[in-house]
Structures are given as C-alpha cells and as structure tokens.
Amino acid sequence: GALEPIRTDSTFVADSGVDFLVRTVSSLQNKARAKRASGTRARRRPNPLLNYDEEMFVADISPTHRCLLNKYNVIDHHLLIVTRAFEDQRTLLTLADFEAACLCMAEFDGLAFYNGGRVAGASQRHKHLQMIPLPMARTGPRVPIDPLIESSPRTKRLFSLPQLPFIHAVAHLDGFSRVDAQQLPRRLLRLYRRMLRATGMNDRFDRSAPVWQSRPYNLLFTRQWMLLVPRSREFYRGISVNALGFAGALLVRDQRQLLCLRGVGPMAALLRTAVKRPAAKGLTVQ
C-alpha cells in the first residue's frame, strides 16, 4: 500500500520507423488524484530521495548509492539509483554512478536512464539515475527504438540515426557480461564523455570536483546500446518529455494530449524538445 502507481491505458503510434508506446493516464486515475488534491494535502518531505520513505527502500548498492522504488510509478519495479549524500542532478555522471547502475543492471535486463536537469524531465534536484525492467510492453520490441539501433551497421564508433532529426549520439555495446563487470563502468564513463563532446557539450572533466553540465540532456543505456540527447525544453504543448521519450515511450495526461500527439507525430514532439540537427548533417564519426 505504500506505492501509489499511476494507472494508464497504452496504445502504439507509428512514426518514422518507431512504434511509439504512448501511455494515457486513465480517467479513473485522474478523478482519484483530483479528489486527493481537494482534500487535506499530505505533508511533503523536503527531499524525498534523501529523507526517503522507508517503505521505498530496496537495497544499499554501494558506499555511494542506494536503491529506492519510485513511489509514483507508471511501470512496475521502477527503480531509483540515488546518491547517499546530496549531489545536484545537473552535475555530470561519475564513475561511482556507472558502478551503481551496472550493479543493478547485472541483476536483470533493464533500461537505465538519466534526466540531466529539470529541462530534461528531472523532477528532483537530488542526483539519481533510474531503471526499468525490459521489455517495456507485452508486444513489440524490448524498447521501441531498438529496431532503429539494431538495423544500423555494427561499429565501435559513435554514430547518429538518420531517422532522428535532432542532435544525438549512439553507440553499440558488446553486450553486458558479469565477466567484465569490473571494467564495464569505466568503459561506459569514457563512452559517455565522448558522447558529450560529440554533441557539443562538456569537453573537460575535473576529477577533483563536481563538473556542471553545459546544457540539459538525457542519457539512456541497455545491455546493447547507449544514447545521449541534448535538450532545449521539457514540454511540448503541455506534454512533459523525459529520457523515456527518446526510447520511444511517452506519457500523456488525457485524450486531448493523445490526439495532439497523434496529429503532430511523436517524432516531431521530440524534435521540439531536443536540438534540431543541421540539414543533411549527421554526427561526426569518432
């Protein structure tokens, strides 16, 4: 009873080679939330990721991170990978962040993601990655964007997908293995920093102090690939877009927003919240 899941109805909207998974908050859920809002407002914790509800605690992951459940989850078993001490969500990810994420991903097949700041969809300032189990839906690919990445030529270099009209960087991973679990976080950190440089973001990294991101962005990775997208704004016509949007999954509040998304197309909505890619120009291969 401690969790308060957000109940949704799901549909697929095809656009630009991706079957976008669009979840609409159910009408009954909206009524229930409105009723709660009209009553006595519950006392809010000043920092729910630091002063967390004990019922949300899953495990201590490492000396630097703990794992909590997302109290208001849309997806079952939605995990938060949270720094034990306060760090700002707008600082760049560190080796310790990737070590914690890799320990979680070693347990089950999942999608890890990071919302770098409020413009990128972060609702809390306290630094946290997130992880959801795969597949994301009962039918279709494990992740809606999987077919685009899987159909691209295998390479050890960074690349961009021609179907995505915004600036981004993608990399294939060789697959997740417990055998290289010690080296994998370092490899992912190096790859992440290359992606930042390739997309026009941070190009210097100070090991002795936290480094602030040069602009908002989203990072996503599975056992097979990593994707980074710089951001320009959080909302498109009232629809909040976080990292999961760039995995091909969007959440809308009601049927009006769903109709709006169908009309313009999910890819166009993502473009308006990202950074438009110059015409006929892809990512410089590195």
Side-chain angles (χ1 to χ4, degrees):
L3 289 175
E4 296 187 28
I6 298 174
R7 302 302 178 191
T8 61
D9 302 311
S10 298
T11 188
F12 290 95
V13 179
D15 188 8
S16 304
V18 179
D19 284 334
F20 283 86
L21 173 61
V22 182
R23 293 184 172 92
T24 306
V25 178
S26 71
S27 56
L28 291 176
Q29 176 86 40
N30 280 328
K31 290 179 181 178
R33 294 179 68 183
K35 184 176 181 180
R36 286 198 301 271
S38 65
T40 303
R41 181 173 295 179
R43 184 169 61 90
R44 294 186 177 182
R45 298 171 184 267
N47 180 346
L49 301 186
L50 190 62
N51 305 292
Y52 57 89
D53 181 346
E54 291 291 343
E55 294 292 335
M56 298 300 105
F57 178 79
V58 177
D60 289 319
I61 306 172
S62 68
T64 56
H65 289 72
R66 61 171 56 96
C67 184
L68 307 176
L69 287 171
N70 183 356
K71 184 177 181 68
Y72 304 101
N73 61 303
V74 174
I75 300 168
D76 289 340
H77 313 301
H78 182 162
L79 302 180
L80 307 179
I81 302 168
V82 183
T83 57
R84 289 173 178 264
F86 178 80
E87 295 180 34
D88 198 289
Q89 188 78 357
R90 295 167 296 172
T91 58
L92 295 183
L93 295 175
T94 64
L95 178 60
D97 295 319
F98 282 105
E99 287 173 339
C102 287
L103 284 169
C104 291
M105 195 167 285
E107 297 298 322
F108 63 89
D109 190 19
L111 168 67
F113 60 96
Y114 188 72
N115 301 319
R118 183 170 294 278
V119 171
S123 60
Q124 299 292 333
R125 284 188 58 204
H126 188 126
K127 192 187 222 183
H128 62 288
L129 293 96
Q130 302 182 58
M131 184 171 165
I132 57 172
L134 296 178
M136 294 179 68
R138 294 180 180 179
T139 60
R142 295 161 56 257
V143 182
I145 202 173
D146 265 351
L148 296 188
I149 299 176
E150 290 172 355
S151 63
S152 60
R154 301 294 299 185
T155 176
K156 293 184 179 180
R157 298 172 179 266
L158 302 184
F159 62 96
S160 60
L161 298 167
Q163 299 91 337
L164 304 186
F166 42 82
I167 293 175
H168 65 283
V170 190
H172 287 295
L173 303 179
D174 295 332
F176 191 95
S177 170
R178 290 180 182 272
V179 176
D180 63 0
Q182 295 296 321
Q183 293 301 317
L184 183 62
R186 294 183 183 277
R187 179 187 169 205
L188 295 182
L189 176 63
R190 290 193 298 268
L191 190 58
Y192 161 69
R193 289 175 172 177
R194 286 173 55 203
M195 287 182 162
L196 290 171
R197 295 189 189 99
T199 54
M201 293 184 58
N202 300 67
D203 60 2
R204 294 185 180 182
F205 309 97
D206 185 353
R207 296 183 180 181
S208 62
V211 178
W212 295 87
Q213 64 191 30
S214 59
R215 72 175 304 149
Y217 70 98
N218 292 121
L219 179 75
L220 308 90
F221 62 96
T222 68
R223 294 177 178 181
Q224 287 74 37
W225 51 260
M226 179 181 280
L227 168 67
L228 188 144
V229 183
R231 295 291 302 275
S232 60
R233 56 183 60 86
E234 177 186 356
F235 292 95
Y236 173 73
R237 295 188 181 180
I239 300 170
S240 177
V241 178
N242 65 11
L244 291 182
F246 297 93
L250 292 158
L251 176 69
V252 298
R253 291 197 306 265
D254 49 38
Q255 290 295 315
R256 181 186 62 80
Q257 287 191 341
L258 176 60
L259 290 174
C260 171
L261 199 60
R262 285 186 182 278
V264 71
M267 195 64 77
L270 294 184
L271 173 59
R272 305 288 170 73
T273 64
V275 181
K276 186 176 181 180
R277 188 166 65 184
K281 184 178 180 180
L283 178 73
T284 300
V285 176
Q286 300 190 354

